[in-house]
Amino acid sequence: MKKYSWIAVILLIVGLMLYAKPWSKKSLPSNEFRFVIVSEPPTLDWSLATDNVSADIIFNLMEGLVQYDANLNVQPALAEKWDISKDGLHYTFYLRKDVTWSDGKPLTAQDFVDGWQRLLDPKTASEYAYFLFDVKNAQDYNSKKISDFNQVGVHAKDDHTLVIDLWHPASYFLTLHAFWATFPLRKDIVEKFGAPQWTEPQNIVTCGPFKLKAWEHDYKVVLEANPLYYGPKPKVQLATAYIINEDSTALSLYETGKVDLIRRIPPLLIAKYKNHPDHKNGPFLRGYYYGMNVLKKPFSDVRVRKAFSMAIDRTQLTTLLGGNQIPTTSWIPKGMQGYEPEIGLKFDLDKAKLLLAQAGYPNGAGFPQIKMAYDTRDDNKVIAESLQQQWKQNLNIELTIENQEWKVYIKQLQTDAPPLWRLGWGADFPDPDNFLNLFTSYSGNNLTRWKNKSYDALIEAGAKELDISKRLPIYHKAQKLLTEEEAPIIPLFIDAQNVLIKPYIHGYALNAMSINILKNVEIHK
Amino acid sequence: MLLFILKRLFISIPVIFILATLTFCIMRVTPGGPFDKDKAIPPEIKANIEAKYHLDKPTFINTPAFYKKKWIHVLTETQYFYYMKGLAQGDLGPSYKYLGRSVTDIILDSLPVSVELGFYAALILAAYKHNTWIDNAAMFTAISGITLPSFLVAALLIYIFSIKMAWLPAGLWDGGWEYKILPTIALGLRPVAIIARLMRTSMLDVIKADYVRTARAKGLNEVWVILKHVVKNSLIPVITISGPLLAGIITGSFVIEHVFAIPGIAKHFILAVTNRDYTLIMGVTLVYAVLLIIANILVDVFYALVDPRIKLS
């Protein structure tokens, strides 16, 4: 009898497994689009979300006053038209009258006011409240200097007219309304269920092309076509986002047909998939750069900074990465107004050596022992090693490399940055201000410690100028100052998107902001 | 025995508080906080966020309160006190990464998945122990099970059974049994191997003992000798290790859950740390501690059942 006990145990296992979900091999409905997101969305509450994964879902549940087309031009969305006063201080948005929330209630201008009030409320503690700081009194309300929200420059004139007053003209202000933080909100729903429960599928009320059908935390988010959506209905009934942290797992699932789209290929595997028929590639408004701490020797000397920038052959880096990244010496990325590839310090060894000698380090002699830092990641390592080798070969300067875990790294950059370090910057909205503002003396993100009054003045002038033909020359000057004359940063390349998408999926367009728009997706198997 | 278990449970309460305190200290010493990001936050907004999560308070000792002579506040208006107060009431606080979601919810959502997977893996274990016949073949598996890291085993299984043969899914956890086979094997192989090796060594020791020779000399049937005298007596070291091993299986393996995209608790052990999600780190650490304590109590109980010389007191 004992002899057969193991058979009994195995039968028990099989039995249990069958019992758990009998006959679960159901065939997938053909109008379900399955894609991968790289982590659990930290939140679906658009007043609080700050990350791309949450955005991947939110952009399909909700819309703003305006939206981007595939080329990132601003198009009407919930607002059918708008007026901007001549001085650029007053905006009037006229809402569409046919928009209803997913529970059937009509959308009103007050829903925007409610959304903004919640975003700016200090108790909400929203990180992105500062997106509205151009609005009159918004900052004071957020920092508790005033407590009456009526003083803030946003009002519902009637059910379909939203009026906004700014402190100062802001050329990028219109694009902010395509950004999730400014989306309208159902105050009654948030108050009824409280945060974060109001974003659970059974509670949430939205007005975009999809509704939230299910959210199995850490596993998947399921979207369902919203029958009440004002625009053309989505072509797929369901869109399922599987949460898969590990890129190689996502790749295996793609290869075995379990998902239809993956938007991140492991960096060092891109070269392998480059000629795959499913591979699609597009620009990405994200710059990759090395910054220098200009307060520390030797990079306090502008000649050393220039020499370092000129001694790099950037095409070597992009060849190593092999994902169609674009080498760049200027800072505004391709795909954004103001992109000018001619600006910046080009690869010029003779000049680099000369500058280094003038700075007192002929052929690298006497150059102090310094380290270059990066945050632990495969592609960062490849770049750092290539740079180390190029500077050794071209300038005869030996640098040590140091890598750190992301949080430790970012803390160190913010408190006491090493002489040379890497970072990237992705656009929050497709306007040159978002890229250039980064290096103003008052920007919390300027970790180079470089402060330049004329640069600050240019950026402020650019923000106040509403005429694009007058803005671009201003940004031209600013870029020259940043990447040629003063060179506190070494721009290296503009990132690219590399995705795999099944050939039977149509209507999924890549855009340079990597916004995940699903409403036009069609499946033709 | 009931008294023994109750006593042990009672002793474990201070253990958990000491552990919570230690974890709390280590977290605060580690550079980088939950809201440190590459995109800087304006100071007034940072103040709002810190106020919301009590991170604006001093960690252990509120010195401003000391100068204001509000003596009680010196110790109570601190992050540590707020956390411990919540913990004593069974509230693990809100996650900082998954904004506002309660850590208790996160654990309740993810632990059952890991327990389910661990249960299947433990079944393999149970199946194995009954089979002394597998010996030679098992030793091969056992040695490879110990030496091969689990990510390699998982990758191999996926490569062979999902990509090449297309029999089983390469990941996900969609309810059907086919999703459970590969992760179960990948997770179960290692503990099975460890136990098999240990059992074998231990049995070889016992088999040479005098009382086994005596038993044989008495003319006892060989099967009876092995089951009654050898197996039972060689179980002690196996039981010792199976406690922690079981706690490990139940909380899952980061690698296995990561590679198979399984929504279990194990990933939080790693991701919570990289995110500096203080409350979630505390939560999963405490869950693990409680499981270990329970497993160890069970081990002690089993000792007494197996070996009458051991008395619980």
Side-chain angles (χ1 to χ4, degrees):
Chain A
M1 195 58 202
K2 272 223 150 72
K3 229 159 131 188
Y4 296 107
S5 58
W6 63 274
I7 298 180
V9 171
I10 288 177
L11 282 178
L12 183 70
I13 300 173
V14 174
L16 268 168
M17 284 174 169
L18 289 176
Y19 171 77
K21 278 281 153 75
W23 325 121
S24 65
K25 264 193 172 169
K26 53 179 186 279
S27 61
L28 289 161
S30 67
N31 57 355
E32 182 189 14
F33 176 64
R34 302 153 305 165
F35 63 107
V36 171
I37 51 178
V38 296
S39 74
E40 158 90 352
T43 175
L44 293 184
D45 183 336
W46 48 92
S47 309
L48 294 175
T50 56
D51 66 290
N52 296 331
V53 178
S54 304
D56 285 343
I57 305 298
I58 292 172
F59 270 125
N60 294 294
L61 294 175
M62 282 302 295
E63 277 185 12
L65 289 166
V66 300
Q67 64 189 354
Y68 302 122
D69 63 15
N71 299 317
L72 301 180
N73 298 311
V74 171
Q75 300 292 338
L78 297 181
E80 55 185 358
K81 59 182 173 102
W82 50 88
D83 295 326
I84 305 172
S85 68
K86 278 219 174 97
D87 56 8
L89 293 178
H90 309 286
Y91 284 68
T92 311
F93 287 95
Y94 303 96
L95 305 190
R96 296 177 68 107
K97 296 196 171 77
D98 57 351
V99 183
T100 51
W101 291 92
S102 52
D103 65 348
K105 275 200 178 177
L107 173 87
T108 65
Q110 186 60 36
D111 296 330
F112 284 89
V113 179
D114 291 343
W116 290 24
Q117 177 164 9
R118 181 157 182 270
L119 183 74
L120 290 168
D121 189 336
K123 282 201 223 74
T124 311
S126 168
E127 274 183 49
Y128 277 179
Y130 67 86
F131 272 84
L132 293 180
F133 280 3
D134 297 317
V135 174
K136 223 173 189 172
N137 287 328
Q139 188 164 6
D140 285 351
Y141 182 77
N142 185 247
S143 52
K144 298 184 213 165
K145 284 188 191 130
I146 57 170
S147 57
D148 178 11
F149 191 74
N150 284 324
Q151 289 174 267
V152 179
V154 57
H155 298 281
K157 201 170 157 192
D158 57 50
D159 271 359
H160 298 101
T161 318
L162 185 71
V163 185
I164 298 160
D165 303 314
L166 306 188
W167 286 116
H168 49 79
S171 46
Y172 47 81
F173 190 68
L174 196 56
T175 61
L176 295 186
H177 301 289
F179 187 73
W180 66 79
T182 65
F183 289 174
L185 188 91
R186 280 286 293 281
K187 191 179 173 186
D188 54 330
I189 299 293
V190 177
E191 280 174 358
K192 185 172 167 197
F193 298 105
Q197 287 78 9
W198 78 272
T199 56
E200 289 296 321
Q202 65 275 23
N203 305 335
I204 193 169
V205 174
T206 55
C207 64
F210 288 90
K211 293 193 298 182
L212 184 63
K213 183 179 162 73
W215 183 6
E216 290 176 34
H217 291 286
D218 285 310
Y219 186 56
K220 66 179 176 185
V221 182
V222 185
L223 305 177
E224 183 182 32
N226 176 8
L228 297 179
Y229 179 56
Y230 69 87
K233 306 286 173 288
K235 312 281 193 309
V236 290
Q237 186 58 28
L238 293 176
T240 302
Y242 284 104
I243 297 158
I244 300 173
N245 308 97
E246 173 57 41
D247 290 345
S248 55
T249 304
L251 204 54
S252 304
L253 289 168
Y254 181 84
E255 298 246 14
T256 52
K258 287 273 173 191
V259 293
D260 305 316
L261 165 73
I262 57 174
R263 290 153 70 217
R264 200 169 75 182
I265 303 173
L268 303 184
L269 279 182
I270 290 173
K272 187 185 155 198
Y273 280 91
K274 231 173 140 180
N275 298 319
H276 196 287
D278 299 358
H279 176 244
K280 296 263 181 321
N281 179 280
F284 192 15
L285 299 184
R286 190 172 174 83
Y288 190 110
Y289 70 99
Y290 264 75
M292 291 169 274
N293 185 340
V294 304
L295 298 183
K296 283 188 180 168
K297 267 192 167 179
F299 294 115
S300 47
D301 187 332
V302 66
R303 292 170 296 192
V304 179
R305 302 203 292 263
K306 284 184 179 176
F308 265 67
S309 189
M310 282 177 169
I312 302 164
D313 177 6
R314 288 157 171 85
T315 53
Q316 280 192 26
L317 307 176
T318 50
T319 313
L320 271 175
L321 293 174
N324 293 341
Q325 291 86 352
I326 305 163
T328 187
T329 53
S330 57
W331 180 233
I332 295 178
K334 190 177 182 180
M336 192 181 258
Q337 282 179 321
Y339 170 61
E340 288 188 68
E342 290 316 307
I343 296 181
L345 298 166
K346 304 289 166 200
F347 183 45
D348 185 343
L349 266 187
D350 296 334
K351 207 151 177 217
K353 283 179 178 161
L354 185 70
L355 280 166
L356 197 65
Q358 285 171 353
Y361 312 106
N363 196 28
F367 200 82
Q369 265 288 333
I370 57 164
K371 65 178 181 192
M372 50 193 286
Y374 69 92
D375 51 300
T376 314
R377 220 173 64 188
D378 289 347
D379 50 339
N380 293 342
K381 182 168 183 246
V382 169
I383 300 291
E385 285 170 356
S386 169
L387 288 173
Q388 182 193 38
Q389 183 246 333
Q390 289 197 49
W391 281 321
K392 166 76 190 142
Q393 195 181 328
N394 298 340
L395 298 178
N396 196 27
I397 288 173
E398 198 100 43
L399 298 166
T400 49
I401 300 187
E402 189 181 275
N403 63 310
Q404 281 170 328
E405 185 255 3
W406 172 244
K407 289 267 183 184
V408 178
Y409 181 72
I410 200 73
K411 189 84 198 167
Q412 202 200 339
L413 291 197
Q414 284 162 355
T415 48
D416 178 29
L420 194 57
W421 41 266
R422 83 109 226 156
L423 266 186
W425 182 261
D428 299 307
F429 47 90
D431 189 282
D433 180 78
N434 189 250
F435 255 69
L436 294 174
N437 204 310
L438 184 62
F439 296 106
T440 53
S441 60
Y442 46 83
S443 161
N445 292 310
N446 181 0
L447 303 174
T448 63
R449 279 77 176 162
W450 174 69
K451 290 184 196 304
N452 187 297
K453 282 197 179 123
S454 10
Y455 184 81
D456 293 354
L458 284 169
I459 303 308
E460 275 167 39
K464 284 180 184 155
E465 181 54 64
L466 299 181
D467 182 351
I468 190 72
S469 63
K470 289 183 190 154
R471 271 182 94 195
L472 292 183
I474 299 175
Y475 289 143
H476 179 93
K477 267 194 199 163
Q479 276 207 94
K480 265 188 133 43
L481 193 60
L482 178 70
T483 60
E484 274 180 26
E485 294 160 25
E486 284 283 320
I489 58 163
I490 307 174
L492 293 176
F493 56 85
I494 302 158
D495 238 322
Q497 299 178 75
N498 287 283
V499 310
L500 292 176
I501 185 161
K502 295 285 182 192
Y504 50 78
I505 302 293
H506 301 266
Y508 186 85
L510 291 182
N511 58 65
M513 289 275 288
S514 191
I515 297 175
N516 181 42
I517 296 293
L518 303 176
K519 64 180 174 184
N520 302 319
V521 168
E522 286 179 63
I523 304 176
H524 296 294
K525 270 191 180 165
Chain B
M1 178 168 311
L2 191 68
L3 192 71
F4 166 80
I5 294 174
L6 285 176
K7 215 160 116 189
R8 285 286 299 267
L9 283 175
F10 186 73
I11 296 171
S12 50
I13 294 172
V15 172
I16 284 177
F17 268 86
I18 292 168
L19 181 79
T21 308
L22 276 176
T23 317
F24 190 91
C25 295
I26 294 169
M27 276 178 337
R28 305 297 151 138
V29 173
T30 316
F35 299 103
D36 286 322
K37 299 186 180 171
D38 54 342
K39 293 203 174 173
I41 308 168
E44 60 265 53
I45 292 181
K46 192 148 192 173
N48 289 338
I49 294 171
E50 288 179 342
K52 183 171 171 179
Y53 294 104
H54 301 302
L55 291 174
D56 54 342
K57 300 201 164 50
T59 316
F60 287 108
I61 293 170
N62 194 331
T63 32
F66 180 81
Y67 292 119
K68 282 184 205 151
K69 303 200 171 157
K70 289 182 177 166
W71 306 116
I72 293 178
H73 287 177
V74 173
L75 289 177
T76 57
E77 284 299 306
T78 62
Q79 294 180 34
Y80 178 73
F81 186 79
Y82 267 84
Y83 186 81
M84 285 301 169
K85 200 170 98 184
L87 187 63
Q89 295 163 351
D91 177 12
L92 294 171
S95 161
Y96 298 152
K97 171 74 183 175
Y98 306 109
L99 293 169
R101 253 187 100 200
S102 90
V103 168
T104 313
D105 280 353
I106 295 178
I107 291 172
L108 288 180
D109 274 350
S110 56
L111 186 61
V113 175
S114 293
V115 171
E116 189 188 346
L117 178 60
F119 176 69
Y120 299 140
L123 280 183
I124 299 191
L125 223 88
Y128 177 76
K129 282 212 285 186
H130 288 267
N131 297 293
T132 36
W133 65 270
I134 319 181
D135 204 33
N136 279 334
M139 272 313 118
F140 172 74
T141 329
I143 289 167
S144 47
I146 292 173
T147 47
L148 290 182
S150 44
F151 70 86
L152 192 66
V153 173
L156 269 175
L157 288 173
I158 291 176
Y159 182 75
I160 298 171
F161 294 104
S162 307
I163 296 182
K164 285 288 147 191
M165 292 177 162
W167 284 356
L168 296 165
L172 303 181
W173 192 249
D174 261 348
W177 57 269
E178 69 270 27
Y179 291 94
K180 300 186 176 159
I181 294 179
L182 293 186
T184 301
I185 295 173
L187 180 62
L189 191 59
R190 200 178 162 79
V192 166
I194 292 173
I195 288 194
R197 295 269 309 156
L198 201 66
M199 188 76 193
R200 187 182 155 89
T201 322
S202 170
M203 271 175 78
L204 287 176
D205 273 350
V206 174
I207 227 160
K208 290 180 204 141
D210 290 346
Y211 59 84
V212 174
R213 198 177 46 201
T214 311
R216 283 192 178 134
K218 282 197 296 185
L220 276 180
N221 167 341
E222 184 65 19
V223 174
W224 192 246
V225 172
I226 297 288
L227 285 179
K228 172 86 186 173
H229 297 280
V230 181
V231 172
K232 206 173 163 191
N233 285 301
S234 44
L235 271 178
I236 300 281
V238 176
I239 290 174
T240 314
I241 196 166
S242 49
L245 217 53
L246 203 66
I249 289 183
I250 286 175
T251 46
S253 138
F254 170 71
V255 175
I256 302 298
E257 291 184 4
H258 197 68
V259 169
F260 289 100
I262 295 168
I265 196 174
K267 73 164 113 181
H268 296 307
F269 285 95
I270 309 284
L271 295 181
V273 177
T274 53
N275 293 328
R276 304 288 189 276
D277 195 344
Y278 292 157
T279 41
L280 188 54
I281 299 173
M282 291 292 271
V284 291
T285 309
L286 293 178
V287 165
Y288 194 70
V290 168
L291 285 171
L292 260 187
I293 287 169
I294 293 174
N296 278 330
I297 293 175
L298 286 178
V299 164
D300 285 348
V301 171
F302 273 107
Y303 277 155
L305 293 180
V306 170
D307 188 341
R309 285 170 302 180
I310 298 173
K311 291 234 160 54
L312 299 179
S313 56

